[in-house]
Amino acid sequence: MSRGSISLAAILWLVIAFLVLYPLSILLTESFKIAETGGWGIGNFLEFFQDAYYLKTFGNTLFLSTLVLLTTTVFGVPLAYILARYRHWGKTMFTALILLPIVLPAFAGVFAFIIFFGKYGTVNLLLMEIGLVEKPINFIYGLHGLVFIQSLHMLPFIVLGLSAGFTNIDPSFEEAAEVEGASSFRRFFTVTLPLCTPSYMAGAVLVFLWPFTDWLTPMILGQVDFLPSVAYINIAYHFTDMHRKYMGIVSVTVAAIVCITLFLLARRWVEKRKYTGLSKGTTSEGRVIEPGAWVKSGAYAYMVFIAILVLLIPVVLGLAAFSRTWVFEAFPTNWTLENFRLILLESPGLIKNSFLFSGIALIFGIAFGLPVAYLIVRTRVWGKDALDFVITLMLAFPGIAIGVSYLLAFWKDIPLARYWIIMPLALFARRLPYFLRMAHSSYLQLDPSLEEASEVSGAGKIRTFFSISLPLLLKGVLVGVVMFFIMAFQEISTAVFLYKGGWETLPIGIYLNWHRGMEFGIAAAMAFLMIVITFILLLIISRIGGGVLKAAWGAGEK
Amino acid sequence: MAFIEIQNLFKTFKDVVAINHIHLEIKQGEMLTLLGPSGCGKTTTLRCIAGLETPEEGDIVIDSKSMFSQGFVQPSKRGIGMVFQNYAVWPHMKVYNNIVYGLKLQKLSRQKIQEKAQKVLEMVGLVGLENRYPSQLSGGQQQRVALARALVGNPKVLLLDEPLSNLDAKLREELRFEIKSLVRRMGITSVYVTHDQAEAMVISDRIAVMNSGNVVQLGTAQEIYKKPANKFVADFIGTMNFIAGEVVDVLTDTNNVYVKTPFSEKMGCTTPNSTATIGQEVYASIRPEDVEVLTKPPEATENVFKGKIVHKAYLGNFLFFFVNINETMIRVQVPHHLPQKEGQELYVYLNPKKCMILS
């Protein structure tokens, strides 16, 4: 362990201490502050768990989490199985479509489904037009709508984990069960599914935590009795009422503690039983089945159904974006570019801010993430695992908890929040794991002897990094860069606590326009714009992943 | 005077001792092989010479210059060339750029670089493939690129870490001789790491046999085969029959000892290093090819034992018998015209001069 890597580790720890540990510790200490007396104690927490309202909120959130996890599981297991195991046409396209919600902003889905499934939304109007119903059906406002929207948003996490699991299981496990005489149904439930539980759990925990994080969807659907929404309302609207403010802080803290605890438990559980690595010699494709005609058409119908639900988001927002006064009509009739004109001419600052803040956050992310990846994979510096641990935890941390803690930490003693740099800094801290994970995993795949060969040839460490490591890491790093940018670009939960006039980003603009009432044309146009930008970035990822650098790596590289 | 001196080298990984205070001297122009099973410390020793690992104690002196004790010398400043087990040919660079990477760092003129590259390409037989990417080459060709890259800068020392282990058997055998003649022609001092005893015997001037962090024997291939220092070496190099026993008599003037074994109360053996003491537990050891097979009982009876053929294997140029003598199995290599079948009885003669005691 060289002196260089020790000082590097020290610098990186300082950054983490300042941007993560310090604000979070302030959040925690603030939650122990008694509003009335100015003293300290666990009074806030006692009150939280004794107050019927907050207790109900907590219970509601747990209930919602359970429902969302159940729904995503019930819908996700067959979907993952179809995607991983069946040989079918359009596999790549369907996979891409079904995974799309990961990169779509959560609020885009809410807005789209309100327009489409709302009281006087497209579906209800069509139903009434053909006379099937007299009064509009409440598709969306209420717990069922919340479950639907959050489930669709989180479905990819279940599908992604499980289909990777289904693909990576050594086919001989199932073949052994087949030889023993187990029916395909029995085989699936006694061998395949249990072997996939680790990859399922990894996604399931993120799904379960989403209702503890997502404040926006319940608020827009008028269902505020959930932990994050209550926290948001208490802090953002009632900051003058000290008591409510502190109950808000406690709510945030409770949500954060739940998230971190469950995340850690799931992680430990997953690490204890990793079955997929048990045996060697799996084919890259896994076990692929040619299903019968009936099963196959059923599978298609099912995939198309989910794909349509996902596609509704960009399509409906697109329709809304290009129309004005789309009210009480099944489909818009008044086409216009007015919304875009308003965005581009009257508030171009939003777009500029979004790119500027995300861009600066990205530069921080790269400058921080690459050295961290290097430290974790290539050195034995003391405390590197803890560094990795803290950064990974940010994946589970609710955005509003980071927003609130930044507000508390960087207002009085260190008045950073008075300058716009707080925005990119907060985005950086919140989205850090996205870049680091890509950099980390591509570093792991980089054989150390490639770097050693360079050192032996006479190159120093830094030269080796730039002429050998970086070019070979480039693919992974670029994918990480784009993912980070997409995630920073759509960030709202943290930013909404920190923005001041003139610092609004696109997501905040969408939220404000929606909030102001009938400006959803503009909100939809902004959301549509964001989706388009995200699509372009995704296209870049797939190009990088697929073609551009292929020549250098040859056909052997996947 | 040794060109490379490994002095009291000691290194651990977590709690495992990888190198346990070893000493080694490598002469100028010599090809020395570190041979041993996986985990014996051979690769770690090599990586210490390269400067890719730092020992906790001890030093390495290359060409009268200390590598550790007077300040750590970076791998890039040691004047070494190294061939890695998995070649470590950079996949994003063409063959030519792989080879001249180090030369460019030396700030040589373009013409000089081209000259050197051309020469080494000819040496390893890669002319015409300069503009290929490594992924367009076969395993053997990639190995040649790695070799060319290691040799192009005229290193003082060439380090080879199991360079042939990823190749198929036929190619491996070919390249052994090629590497040997190439390195000998250039006169580079080289250290070769392998776990393949045949490879070590073919390629090296001297072999250092390593086991759990120690050098257990150092010598030429012949010395190590004929006079193994202990049971481990004898077992690792070639095939050896071990008959457990106890020393009952020592004749100090002739190096002869008598050992009580399952075969006889007093079996004649020699001791290679005349250190046997009465009562010592030893293995009477003899190579399969040194066992003489007799179909009839001979007149002399010392070290002649009756046994039964349990297995018979045809191995082309000779036969292998597994012979059961008093419930102990020994392996015997015999000319293939011997007519005996499995289950038949025969007599074996363990020549006391060739039957050494090891522990």
Side-chain angles (χ1 to χ4, degrees), chain A residues 1 380 446-461 463-472 550-556, chain B residues 11 13 47 50-53 74-77 80-82 84 86-93 101-107 133-136 149:
Chain A
M1 140 178 34
R380 290 176 221 137
L446 180 65
D447 192 321
S449 61
L450 290 169
E451 294 166 326
E452 288 166 0
S454 163
E455 286 181 45
V456 169
S457 299
K461 287 227 188 282
R463 189 177 180 108
T464 297
F465 179 80
F466 282 104
S467 59
I468 305 294
S469 322
L470 194 58
L472 291 172
K550 206 168 181 179
W553 275 268
Chain B
K11 167 113 190 134
F13 289 112
R47 289 170 62 84
L52 297 170
E53 301 283 354
Q74 291 290 339
S76 50
K77 303 277 183 282
I80 51 177
M82 184 161 176
F84 291 83
N86 52 359
Y87 324 140
V89 173
W90 300 306
H92 62 305
M93 292 182 188
Y101 181 82
L103 297 180
K104 282 186 180 167
L105 292 169
Q106 289 173 23
K107 308 254 188 286
Y133 279 104
S135 58
Q136 299 164 315
R149 183 177 66 189

Coordinates of all heavy atoms in Angstrom, one line a residue, chain A residues 1 380 446-461 463-472 550-556, chain B residues 11 13 47 50-53 74-77 80-82 84 86-93 101-107 133-136 149:
Chain A
M1 N 0.9 -1.2 0.0 CA 0.0 0.0 0.0 C 0.9 1.2 0.0 O 1.7 1.5 0.9 CB -0.9 -0.2 1.2 CG -1.2 1.0 2.0 SD -2.3 0.7 3.4 CE -2.1 -0.9 4.1
R380 N -5.0 -2.1 -1.3 CA -5.4 -2.7 0.0 C -5.4 -1.6 1.0 O -5.1 -1.8 2.2 CB -4.4 -3.8 0.4 CG -4.5 -5.0 -0.5 CD -3.5 -6.0 -0.2 NE -3.0 -6.6 -1.4 CZ -1.7 -6.9 -1.5 NH1 -0.8 -6.6 -0.6 NH2 -1.2 -7.4 -2.7
L446 N -11.2 -6.0 -15.4 CA -9.9 -5.6 -16.1 C -8.8 -6.4 -15.4 O -8.5 -6.2 -14.2 CB -9.6 -4.1 -15.9 CG -8.4 -3.6 -16.5 CD1 -8.3 -3.8 -18.0 CD2 -8.2 -2.1 -16.2
D447 N -8.1 -7.3 -16.1 CA -7.1 -8.2 -15.6 C -5.9 -7.3 -15.1 O -5.4 -6.5 -15.8 CB -6.6 -9.1 -16.6 CG -5.8 -10.2 -16.1 OD1 -4.9 -9.9 -15.2 OD2 -5.9 -11.4 -16.5
P448 N -5.6 -7.4 -13.8 CA -4.5 -6.6 -13.3 C -3.2 -6.8 -14.0 O -2.4 -5.8 -14.1 CB -4.3 -7.0 -11.8 CG -5.3 -8.1 -11.6 CD -6.1 -8.3 -12.8
S449 N -3.0 -7.9 -14.6 CA -1.7 -8.1 -15.3 C -1.5 -7.2 -16.5 O -0.4 -6.9 -16.9 CB -1.5 -9.6 -15.7 OG -2.5 -10.0 -16.6
L450 N -2.6 -6.7 -17.1 CA -2.5 -5.8 -18.2 C -1.9 -4.5 -17.7 O -1.1 -3.9 -18.4 CB -3.9 -5.5 -18.7 CG -4.6 -6.6 -19.5 CD1 -6.0 -6.3 -19.8 CD2 -3.9 -6.9 -20.8
E451 N -2.2 -4.1 -16.5 CA -1.6 -2.9 -15.9 C -0.2 -3.2 -15.5 O 0.7 -2.4 -15.6 CB -2.4 -2.4 -14.7 CG -3.8 -1.9 -15.2 CD -4.8 -1.7 -14.0 OE1 -4.7 -2.5 -13.0 OE2 -5.6 -0.8 -14.1
E452 N 0.0 -4.4 -14.9 CA 1.4 -4.7 -14.4 C 2.3 -4.8 -15.6 O 3.5 -4.3 -15.5 CB 1.4 -6.1 -13.7 CG 0.7 -6.0 -12.4 CD 0.4 -7.3 -11.8 OE1 0.7 -8.3 -12.4 OE2 -0.2 -7.3 -10.6
A453 N 1.9 -5.3 -16.7 CA 2.7 -5.4 -17.9 C 3.2 -4.0 -18.4 O 4.3 -3.8 -18.8 CB 1.9 -6.1 -19.1
S454 N 2.3 -3.0 -18.2 CA 2.7 -1.7 -18.5 C 3.7 -1.1 -17.6 O 4.7 -0.5 -18.0 CB 1.4 -0.8 -18.5 OG 1.8 0.6 -18.5
E455 N 3.6 -1.4 -16.3 CA 4.5 -0.9 -15.3 C 5.9 -1.6 -15.6 O 6.9 -0.9 -15.5 CB 4.1 -1.2 -13.9 CG 2.9 -0.3 -13.5 CD 2.5 -0.6 -12.0 OE1 3.4 -0.8 -11.2 OE2 1.3 -0.7 -11.8
V456 N 5.9 -2.8 -15.9 CA 7.1 -3.5 -16.2 C 7.8 -2.9 -17.4 O 9.0 -2.8 -17.5 CB 6.9 -5.0 -16.3 CG1 8.1 -5.7 -16.9 CG2 6.5 -5.6 -15.0
S457 N 6.9 -2.5 -18.4 CA 7.5 -2.0 -19.6 C 8.1 -0.6 -19.4 O 8.6 0.0 -20.3 CB 6.4 -1.9 -20.7 OG 5.9 -3.1 -21.0
G458 N 7.9 0.0 -18.2 CA 8.6 1.3 -18.0 C 7.6 2.4 -17.7 O 8.0 3.6 -17.6
A459 N 6.3 2.1 -17.7 CA 5.4 3.2 -17.4 C 5.1 3.4 -15.9 O 5.0 2.4 -15.2 CB 4.1 3.0 -18.2
G460 N 4.8 4.6 -15.5 CA 4.5 4.9 -14.1 C 3.0 4.6 -13.9 O 2.3 4.2 -14.9
K461 N 2.5 4.7 -12.7 CA 1.1 4.4 -12.4 C 0.2 5.3 -13.1 O -0.9 4.8 -13.6 CB 0.9 4.6 -10.8 CG 1.5 3.5 -10.0 CD 0.6 2.9 -9.0 CE 1.2 2.0 -8.0 NZ 1.4 0.6 -8.6
R463 N 0.6 7.1 -15.9 CA 0.7 6.8 -17.3 C -0.1 5.5 -17.6 O -0.8 5.4 -18.6 CB 2.1 6.8 -17.8 CG 2.1 6.7 -19.3 CD 3.5 6.7 -19.9 NE 3.2 6.7 -21.3 CZ 3.4 7.7 -22.1 NH1 3.9 8.8 -21.6 NH2 3.2 7.6 -23.4
T464 N 0.2 4.5 -16.8 CA -0.5 3.2 -17.0 C -2.0 3.4 -16.9 O -2.7 2.9 -17.8 CB -0.1 2.3 -15.9 OG1 1.3 2.0 -16.0 CG2 -0.8 0.9 -16.0
F465 N -2.5 4.2 -16.0 CA -3.9 4.5 -15.9 C -4.5 5.1 -17.2 O -5.5 4.6 -17.7 CB -4.2 5.4 -14.7 CG -5.7 5.6 -14.6 CD1 -6.5 4.7 -14.0 CD2 -6.3 6.8 -15.1 CE1 -7.9 4.9 -13.9 CE2 -7.6 7.0 -15.0 CZ -8.4 6.1 -14.4
F466 N -3.8 6.1 -17.7 CA -4.4 6.7 -18.9 C -4.2 6.0 -20.2 O -5.0 6.1 -21.1 CB -3.8 8.2 -19.0 CG -4.5 9.1 -18.0 CD1 -3.9 9.5 -16.9 CD2 -5.8 9.5 -18.3 CE1 -4.5 10.3 -16.0 CE2 -6.4 10.3 -17.4 CZ -5.8 10.8 -16.2
S467 N -3.0 5.2 -20.3 CA -2.9 4.6 -21.6 C -3.4 3.1 -21.6 O -3.6 2.6 -22.7 CB -1.4 4.7 -22.1 OG -0.6 4.1 -21.2
I468 N -3.5 2.5 -20.5 CA -4.0 1.1 -20.4 C -5.3 1.0 -19.8 O -6.3 0.6 -20.4 CB -3.0 0.2 -19.7 CG1 -1.6 0.3 -20.3 CG2 -3.5 -1.3 -19.7 CD1 -1.5 -0.2 -21.7
S469 N -5.4 1.4 -18.5 CA -6.7 1.1 -17.8 C -7.9 1.9 -18.4 O -8.9 1.3 -18.7 CB -6.5 1.5 -16.3 OG -5.2 1.2 -15.8
L470 N -7.7 3.2 -18.5 CA -8.8 4.0 -19.0 C -9.4 3.5 -20.3 O -10.6 3.4 -20.4 CB -8.5 5.5 -18.9 CG -9.7 6.4 -19.0 CD1 -10.7 6.2 -17.9 CD2 -9.2 7.9 -19.0
P471 N -8.5 3.4 -21.3 CA -9.1 2.9 -22.6 C -9.9 1.6 -22.5 O -10.9 1.4 -23.1 CB -7.9 2.7 -23.5 CG -6.8 3.6 -22.9 CD -7.1 3.6 -21.4
L472 N -9.4 0.7 -21.6 CA -10.0 -0.6 -21.5 C -11.3 -0.5 -20.6 O -12.2 -1.3 -20.7 CB -9.1 -1.6 -20.9 CG -7.9 -2.0 -21.8 CD1 -6.9 -2.8 -21.1 CD2 -8.4 -2.7 -23.0
K550 N -16.3 -2.1 -30.8 CA -16.2 -3.5 -31.0 C -15.0 -4.0 -31.7 O -14.4 -5.0 -31.3 CB -17.4 -4.0 -31.8 CG -17.8 -5.4 -31.5 CD -19.2 -5.7 -32.1 CE -19.6 -7.1 -31.8 NZ -20.9 -7.4 -32.3
A551 N -14.5 -3.2 -32.7 CA -13.4 -3.6 -33.5 C -12.2 -3.9 -32.6 O -11.5 -4.9 -32.8 CB -13.0 -2.5 -34.5
A552 N -12.0 -3.1 -31.6 CA -10.8 -3.2 -30.8 C -10.9 -4.4 -29.9 O -9.9 -5.0 -29.5 CB -10.6 -2.0 -29.9
W553 N -12.1 -4.9 -29.6 CA -12.2 -6.0 -28.7 C -12.5 -7.3 -29.4 O -12.5 -8.4 -28.8 CB -13.3 -5.7 -27.6 CG -12.8 -5.0 -26.5 CD1 -12.3 -5.5 -25.3 CD2 -12.7 -3.5 -26.4 NE1 -11.9 -4.5 -24.5 CE2 -12.1 -3.3 -25.1 CE3 -13.0 -2.5 -27.2 CZ2 -11.8 -2.0 -24.7 CZ3 -12.7 -1.2 -26.8 CH2 -12.2 -1.0 -25.5
G554 N -13.0 -7.2 -30.6 CA -13.2 -8.4 -31.4 C -14.6 -9.0 -31.1 O -15.3 -8.5 -30.2
A555 N -14.9 -10.0 -31.8 CA -16.2 -10.6 -31.7 C -16.4 -11.4 -30.4 O -17.5 -11.6 -30.0 CB -16.5 -11.5 -32.9
G556 N -15.3 -11.8 -29.8 CA -15.4 -12.6 -28.6 C -16.0 -11.8 -27.4 O -16.5 -12.4 -26.5
Chain B
K11 N 7.5 -12.9 2.9 CA 6.3 -12.2 2.5 C 5.1 -13.1 3.0 O 5.0 -14.3 2.8 CB 6.2 -12.0 1.0 CG 4.9 -11.6 0.4 CD 5.0 -10.3 -0.1 CE 3.6 -9.8 -0.5 NZ 3.3 -8.4 -0.1
F13 N 0.6 -13.2 3.0 CA -0.7 -12.6 2.6 C -1.7 -12.9 3.7 O -1.9 -14.1 4.0 CB -1.1 -13.3 1.3 CG -0.3 -12.8 0.1 CD1 0.5 -13.7 -0.6 CD2 -0.4 -11.5 -0.4 CE1 1.2 -13.3 -1.7 CE2 0.4 -11.1 -1.5 CZ 1.2 -12.0 -2.1
R47 N 7.2 -12.1 -8.6 CA 6.6 -10.8 -8.6 C 7.4 -9.9 -7.7 O 7.3 -8.6 -7.9 CB 5.1 -10.9 -8.2 CG 4.2 -11.5 -9.3 CD 2.8 -11.8 -8.8 NE 2.1 -10.6 -8.4 CZ 1.5 -9.9 -9.2 NH1 1.4 -10.1 -10.5 NH2 0.9 -8.8 -8.8
A50 N 10.1 -8.6 -9.9 CA 9.5 -7.6 -10.8 C 9.2 -6.3 -10.1 O 9.1 -5.3 -10.7 CB 8.3 -8.1 -11.5
G51 N 9.0 -6.4 -8.8 CA 8.6 -5.2 -8.0 C 7.1 -5.0 -8.0 O 6.5 -4.0 -7.7
L52 N 6.3 -6.1 -8.4 CA 4.9 -6.0 -8.3 C 4.3 -6.4 -7.0 O 3.2 -6.2 -6.6 CB 4.3 -7.0 -9.4 CG 4.6 -6.6 -10.8 CD1 4.2 -7.7 -11.8 CD2 4.0 -5.2 -11.2
E53 N 5.2 -7.0 -6.2 CA 4.9 -7.3 -4.7 C 6.0 -6.7 -3.9 O 7.2 -6.7 -4.4 CB 4.7 -8.8 -4.4 CG 3.7 -9.5 -5.2 CD 2.3 -9.2 -4.7 OE1 2.1 -8.5 -3.7 OE2 1.3 -9.7 -5.4
Q74 N 10.9 1.1 -8.5 CA 9.6 0.9 -9.3 C 9.9 -0.2 -10.3 O 11.0 -0.3 -10.9 CB 9.2 2.1 -10.0 CG 8.7 3.2 -9.0 CD 7.4 2.9 -8.4 OE1 6.6 2.1 -8.9 NE2 7.1 3.6 -7.3
P75 N 8.8 -1.0 -10.6 CA 9.0 -2.0 -11.7 C 9.5 -1.4 -13.0 O 10.3 -2.1 -13.7 CB 7.6 -2.5 -11.9 CG 6.8 -2.2 -10.6 CD 7.5 -1.0 -10.0
S76 N 9.1 -0.2 -13.2 CA 9.5 0.4 -14.5 C 11.0 0.8 -14.5 O 11.5 1.0 -15.6 CB 8.6 1.7 -14.7 OG 8.7 2.5 -13.6
K77 N 11.6 0.8 -13.4 CA 13.0 1.2 -13.4 C 14.0 0.0 -13.1 O 15.1 0.2 -12.8 CB 13.2 2.2 -12.2 CG 12.3 3.4 -12.3 CD 13.0 4.5 -13.2 CE 12.1 5.7 -13.3 NZ 10.9 5.6 -14.1
I80 N 13.5 -4.9 -16.5 CA 13.1 -6.2 -16.7 C 12.1 -6.3 -17.8 O 11.4 -5.4 -18.2 CB 12.4 -6.8 -15.4 CG1 11.4 -5.8 -14.9 CG2 13.4 -7.1 -14.3 CD1 10.6 -6.3 -13.7
G81 N 12.0 -7.5 -18.4 CA 10.9 -7.8 -19.3 C 10.1 -8.9 -18.6 O 10.7 -9.8 -17.9
M82 N 8.8 -8.9 -18.8 CA 8.0 -10.0 -18.1 C 7.0 -10.5 -19.0 O 6.3 -9.8 -19.8 CB 7.4 -9.4 -16.9 CG 6.7 -10.4 -16.0 SD 6.4 -9.8 -14.3 CE 5.4 -11.1 -13.7
F84 N 3.5 -12.7 -18.9 CA 2.5 -13.1 -17.9 C 1.8 -14.3 -18.3 O 1.7 -14.7 -19.4 CB 1.5 -11.9 -17.7 CG 2.0 -10.7 -17.1 CD1 2.7 -9.8 -17.8 CD2 1.9 -10.5 -15.7 CE1 3.3 -8.6 -17.2 CE2 2.4 -9.4 -15.1 CZ 3.1 -8.4 -15.9
N86 N -1.4 -15.0 -18.4 CA -2.5 -14.9 -19.4 C -2.0 -13.9 -20.5 O -2.9 -13.2 -21.0 CB -3.7 -14.4 -18.7 CG -3.4 -13.2 -17.8 OD1 -2.3 -12.7 -17.8 ND2 -4.4 -12.6 -17.2
Y87 N -0.8 -13.8 -20.7 CA -0.2 -13.0 -21.8 C -0.2 -11.5 -21.5 O 0.7 -10.8 -21.7 CB -0.8 -13.2 -23.2 CG -1.2 -14.6 -23.5 CD1 -2.4 -14.8 -24.2 CD2 -0.4 -15.6 -23.1 CE1 -2.8 -16.1 -24.5 CE2 -0.8 -16.9 -23.4 CZ -2.0 -17.2 -24.0 OH -2.3 -18.5 -24.3
A88 N -1.4 -11.0 -21.0 CA -1.6 -9.6 -20.7 C -1.2 -8.7 -21.9 O -0.6 -7.7 -21.8 CB -0.8 -9.2 -19.5
V89 N -1.6 -9.2 -23.1 CA -1.4 -8.4 -24.3 C -2.6 -7.4 -24.3 O -3.7 -7.8 -24.1 CB -1.4 -9.3 -25.5 CG1 -1.4 -8.5 -26.8 CG2 -0.2 -10.2 -25.5
W90 N -2.3 -6.1 -24.5 CA -3.4 -5.1 -24.4 C -4.3 -5.2 -25.5 O -3.9 -5.1 -26.7 CB -2.7 -3.7 -24.3 CG -1.8 -3.6 -23.1 CD1 -2.2 -3.9 -21.8 CD2 -0.5 -3.3 -23.1 NE1 -1.1 -3.7 -21.0 CE2 0.0 -3.3 -21.7 CE3 0.5 -2.9 -24.1 CZ2 1.3 -3.1 -21.3 CZ3 1.8 -2.6 -23.7 CH2 2.2 -2.7 -22.3
P91 N -5.6 -5.5 -25.2 CA -6.5 -5.8 -26.3 C -6.9 -4.6 -27.2 O -7.4 -4.7 -28.3 CB -7.8 -6.3 -25.6 CG -7.7 -5.7 -24.2 CD -6.2 -5.6 -23.9
H92 N -6.6 -3.4 -26.6 CA -7.0 -2.2 -27.4 C -5.9 -1.6 -28.3 O -6.0 -0.6 -28.9 CB -7.5 -1.1 -26.5 CG -6.5 -0.6 -25.5 ND1 -5.8 -1.5 -24.6 CD2 -6.0 0.6 -25.2 CE1 -5.0 -0.8 -23.9 NE2 -5.0 0.5 -24.2
M93 N -4.7 -2.4 -28.3 CA -3.6 -1.9 -29.1 C -3.3 -3.0 -30.1 O -3.4 -4.2 -29.8 CB -2.4 -1.7 -28.2 CG -2.5 -0.6 -27.3 SD -0.9 -0.5 -26.4 CE -1.3 0.7 -25.2
Y101 N 5.4 -0.3 -27.0 CA 4.9 0.5 -25.9 C 6.1 1.0 -25.0 O 6.2 2.2 -24.7 CB 3.9 -0.3 -25.1 CG 3.3 0.4 -23.9 CD1 2.2 1.3 -24.1 CD2 3.8 0.2 -22.6 CE1 1.6 1.9 -23.0 CE2 3.2 0.9 -21.5 CZ 2.1 1.7 -21.7 OH 1.5 2.3 -20.7
G102 N 6.9 0.1 -24.6 CA 8.0 0.4 -23.7 C 9.1 1.3 -24.4 O 9.6 2.2 -23.8
L103 N 9.3 1.0 -25.6 CA 10.3 1.7 -26.4 C 9.9 3.2 -26.5 O 10.7 4.1 -26.4 CB 10.5 1.2 -27.8 CG 11.0 -0.3 -27.9 CD1 11.1 -0.7 -29.3 CD2 12.3 -0.4 -27.2
K104 N 8.6 3.4 -26.7 CA 8.1 4.8 -26.8 C 8.4 5.6 -25.5 O 8.7 6.8 -25.5 CB 6.6 4.8 -27.2 CG 6.3 4.6 -28.6 CD 4.9 4.7 -28.9 CE 4.5 4.5 -30.3 NZ 3.1 4.3 -30.5
L105 N 8.2 4.8 -24.4 CA 8.4 5.5 -23.1 C 9.9 5.9 -22.9 O 10.2 6.8 -22.2 CB 8.0 4.6 -22.0 CG 6.5 4.3 -21.9 CD1 6.2 3.2 -20.9 CD2 5.8 5.6 -21.5
Q106 N 10.8 5.1 -23.6 CA 12.2 5.4 -23.5 C 12.6 6.6 -24.4 O 13.8 7.0 -24.4 CB 13.0 4.2 -23.9 CG 13.0 3.1 -22.9 CD 13.7 1.8 -23.4 OE1 14.5 1.9 -24.3 NE2 13.3 0.7 -22.9
K107 N 11.6 7.2 -25.1 CA 11.9 8.3 -26.0 C 13.0 8.0 -27.0 O 13.9 8.8 -27.3 CB 12.3 9.5 -25.1 CG 11.4 9.9 -24.0 CD 10.5 11.1 -24.3 CE 9.7 11.6 -23.2 NZ 8.5 10.7 -22.9
Y133 N -5.2 -6.8 -34.3 CA -5.5 -6.7 -32.9 C -5.3 -8.0 -32.2 O -5.5 -9.1 -32.9 CB -7.0 -6.2 -32.7 CG -7.1 -4.7 -32.9 CD1 -7.6 -4.2 -34.0 CD2 -6.7 -3.9 -31.8 CE1 -7.8 -2.8 -34.1 CE2 -6.8 -2.5 -32.0 CZ -7.3 -2.0 -33.1 OH -7.4 -0.6 -33.3
P134 N -5.0 -8.1 -30.9 CA -4.8 -9.3 -30.2 C -6.0 -10.3 -30.4 O -5.8 -11.5 -30.5 CB -4.6 -8.9 -28.8 CG -4.1 -7.6 -28.9 CD -4.7 -6.9 -30.1
S135 N -7.2 -9.8 -30.4 CA -8.3 -10.7 -30.5 C -8.4 -11.4 -31.9 O -9.1 -12.4 -32.0 CB -9.6 -9.9 -30.4 OG -9.7 -8.9 -31.3
Q136 N -7.6 -10.9 -32.8 CA -7.5 -11.6 -34.1 C -6.4 -12.6 -34.2 O -6.0 -13.1 -35.3 CB -7.4 -10.6 -35.2 CG -8.5 -9.6 -35.3 CD -8.2 -8.4 -36.1 OE1 -7.1 -7.8 -36.0 NE2 -9.1 -7.9 -37.0
R149 N 7.2 -8.3 -26.6 CA 7.1 -7.1 -25.8 C 8.1 -7.2 -24.7 O 8.7 -6.2 -24.3 CB 5.7 -7.0 -25.3 CG 5.5 -5.7 -24.5 CD 4.0 -5.6 -24.1 NE 3.7 -6.7 -23.1 CZ 2.5 -6.9 -22.7 NH1 1.5 -6.2 -23.2 NH2 2.2 -7.9 -21.8

